[in-house]
Amino acid sequence: MKQSASSLSPSNPSGKRSARPVRSKDRFLVFGRPTIEEPEIAEVVDSLKSCWLGTGPKVARLEKDFAAYKGSPHAVAMHSCTAALHLSILAADLKPGDEVITTPLTFCATVNAILHAGATPVLADVDRTTMNLDPNRVEEAITPRTRAILPVHFAGRPCDMDALGDLAKRKDLVMIEDCAHAIETEYKGRKAGLFGDFGCFSFYATKNITTGEGGMVLVRDERKAARLKTLALHGMTKDAWKRFSDDGYKHYQVVELGFKYNMMDLQAAIGIHQLPRVESWLVRRNEIWRTYDRGFASLPIEIPAPEEKGTRHARHLYTLLVDEKRSGISRDAFLSAMTAQGIGVGVHYLSVPEHPYYREAFGWKPEAFPNAMEIGRRTVSVPLSAGITDEDAADVIAAVGSVLG
Ligand SMILES: Cc1ncc(COP(=O)(O)O)c(C=O)c1O
């Protein structure tokens, strides 16, 4: 196997395959490690000391700051992106039996949210290169019952929003964007999450910014924003969380059947200090991305396609594709070998129909979505957090080189 210059690392100075792992157990490089700094630690302590732990002023501040960052008229915080997707589908007034077209190359949460809302998920295959929903397959999947398209900007790469937007307009469909990977994503100067009626974000621990668990919905319509807030807190009237304030007790009314999906101040305390760093962290992940591109270029493994012109990739996941014939190792053996080399890895994702629940409940077969199936069976994500050092990145490249040895 050819060895690229960039696979030389302090831990593997000769670049040759050795019995010793690139990183020892005590230096294991964790996948998706969040960057937590002093200001968010102090802010969480401040919340604890103030005894205001639940939804309060820090959640309101994160909503305001996130709306300003994205240029959205409204932002509603949630406990997770799953909750954000679930309530967006409800707030879009979808009814049981209404069909929502989405991608098979996503986390189960995307499909589960559609099911929890009582709608029917319909899968359309992805493009083999971009790994995003193929608009031609979406159009083929439209039936008289189709009410919404739910694209996922996979890995941070924007979907083809011209084609999907045009389809939604022609067929009068609601657009709900799953932006779990796409905080910084842009398409032709427009920001992800603002194309359709609802944009749903995740602040889970591995995401580009985190609140531990957390989510946000961007929404244009003021009444829908108010409905999302109501639905997120048991269907209680707006601002019911103020009922224990020092202005005296306020009665609330339950006006519809809601959920317990509100974000806590304890979570927002982290997010309000993460958000101002989102752009500088993207600069860092861009550097790591380019280092990986160079380091993997001569290895027998497929690297992510360059981003499309006029788009901004959020660099959430760097995914390698392991083809057993070309790479000389199966994907699963590659995962184990990388772990043995001291490098944490992920799989994003086995296509949804690979999971028994969906096969049994809906009769879905992986083969019906061949691109998502192939990607899901070959993909490996390597660490891409903003906290990755040059030495870490060199170790990842050296480990991949060694495993493919
Ligand atoms: C594409 C996608 N959608 C939805 C979610 C759900 O996000 P959360 O964990 O915030 O509910 C995730 C989380 O990993 C995701 O990757």
Side-chain angles (χ1 to χ4, degrees):
M1 189 221 61
K2 275 184 280 162
Q3 196 75 53
S4 71
S6 47
S7 66
L8 305 180
S9 83
S11 328
N12 182 20
S14 71
K16 288 201 192 99
R17 196 173 189 185
S18 71
R20 267 198 316 134
V22 167
R23 286 173 83 110
S24 54
K25 266 209 173 112
D26 57 330
R27 292 183 61 241
F28 190 86
L29 184 60
V30 173
F31 179 87
R33 185 188 168 95
T35 304
I36 302 293
E37 297 183 1
E38 285 307 319
E40 45 268 51
I41 294 172
E43 196 74 49
V44 170
V45 171
D46 176 74
S47 288
L48 291 170
K49 285 188 174 161
S50 78
C51 289
W52 192 293
L53 309 182
T55 306
K58 291 183 188 178
V59 171
R61 180 171 154 201
L62 184 61
E63 288 176 333
K64 193 163 148 275
D65 292 355
F66 197 74
Y69 170 67
K70 297 294 296 191
S72 172
H74 307 283
V76 181
M78 301 274 163
H79 180 73
S80 67
C81 181
T82 311
L85 288 164
H86 178 188
L87 296 193
S88 294
I89 299 166
L90 292 180
D93 289 325
L94 264 63
K95 301 282 178 297
D98 287 346
E99 291 177 356
V100 181
I101 300 176
T102 194
T103 166
L105 192 67
T106 187
F107 188 49
C108 56
T110 314
V111 170
N112 290 355
I114 298 169
L115 290 166
H116 288 314
T120 302
V122 172
L123 302 180
D125 205 1
V126 296
D127 177 89
R128 171 65 176 73
T129 304
T130 65
M131 307 188 183
N132 276 325
L133 263 181
D134 179 338
N136 295 317
R137 302 287 88 77
V138 174
E139 184 147 19
E140 286 165 11
I142 291 176
T143 75
R145 292 176 302 283
T146 307
R147 285 290 317 282
I149 306 178
L150 204 166
V152 176
H153 302 291
F154 180 79
R157 182 190 302 272
C159 292
D160 181 348
M161 296 313 286
D162 277 348
L164 292 178
D166 175 60
L167 205 51
K169 208 163 160 196
R170 274 194 286 126
K171 305 283 182 180
D172 192 23
L173 304 175
V174 175
M175 173 90 78
I176 300 163
E177 296 172 68
D178 181 334
C179 301
H181 303 176
I183 293 173
E184 310 93 324
T185 299
E186 292 181 15
Y187 177 86
K188 299 190 179 171
R190 295 174 65 193
K191 297 183 187 222
L194 295 170
F195 281 89
D197 306 85
F198 302 90
C200 301
F201 293 81
S202 174
F203 305 139
Y204 176 64
T206 58
K207 297 297 191 267
N208 290 4
I209 64 166
T210 188
T211 58
E213 297 280 0
M216 190 74 79
V217 186
L218 297 185
V219 57
R220 241 173 260 289
D221 185 297
E222 192 174 353
R223 273 175 314 180
K224 291 218 182 307
R227 173 123 194 262
L228 284 167
K229 280 201 169 177
T230 300
L231 281 169
L233 197 58
H234 294 304
M236 298 185 335
T237 39
K238 198 166 160 274
D239 290 342
W241 57 268
K242 287 185 186 154
R243 66 194 186 277
F244 302 118
S245 77
D246 48 16
D247 297 339
Y249 187 83
K250 290 188 185 63
H251 285 289
Y252 60 87
Q253 290 191 306
V254 175
V255 291
E256 67 175 312
L257 181 62
F259 301 82
K260 188 69 168 68
Y261 283 170
N262 54 308
M263 181 186 274
M264 300 187 291
D265 263 23
L266 272 178
Q267 295 165 285
I270 307 170
I272 56 183
H273 294 284
Q274 295 256 309
L275 184 58
R277 295 187 213 120
V278 67
E279 289 295 316
S280 59
W281 283 343
L282 178 60
V283 171
R284 178 60 191 152
R285 290 199 311 282
N286 264 314
E287 287 169 4
I288 302 163
W289 190 280
R290 285 192 292 270
T291 302
Y292 284 166
D293 274 353
R294 285 192 299 272
F296 299 137
S298 60
L299 300 181
I301 200 157
E302 191 175 324
I303 62 173
E307 63 270 27
E308 294 67 39
K309 249 185 138 187
T311 69
R312 188 186 205 217
H313 193 303
R315 308 300 192 206
H316 178 57
L317 296 171
Y318 192 101
T319 57
L320 296 166
L321 293 182
V322 182
D323 172 3
E324 190 163 355
K325 279 201 204 103
R326 181 176 166 216
S327 309
I329 186 169
S330 73
R331 190 276 302 277
D332 287 359
F334 184 91
L335 291 169
S336 305
M338 285 295 286
T339 309
Q341 288 290 337
I343 307 292
V345 282
V347 171
H348 302 88
Y349 301 92
L350 273 180
S351 75
V352 171
E354 300 272 13
H355 297 287
Y357 171 74
Y358 307 101
R359 280 209 309 273
E360 283 157 26
F362 308 109
W364 289 345
K365 292 187 174 63
E367 294 74 15
F369 312 96
N371 290 338
M373 178 182 78
E374 186 202 322
I375 294 164
R377 291 181 181 181
R378 293 186 179 176
T379 191
V380 175
S381 304
V382 291
L384 185 61
S385 313
I388 297 273
T389 64
D390 291 349
E391 185 187 348
D392 295 334
D395 284 350
V396 172
I397 294 165
V400 172
S402 175
V403 167
L404 295 176

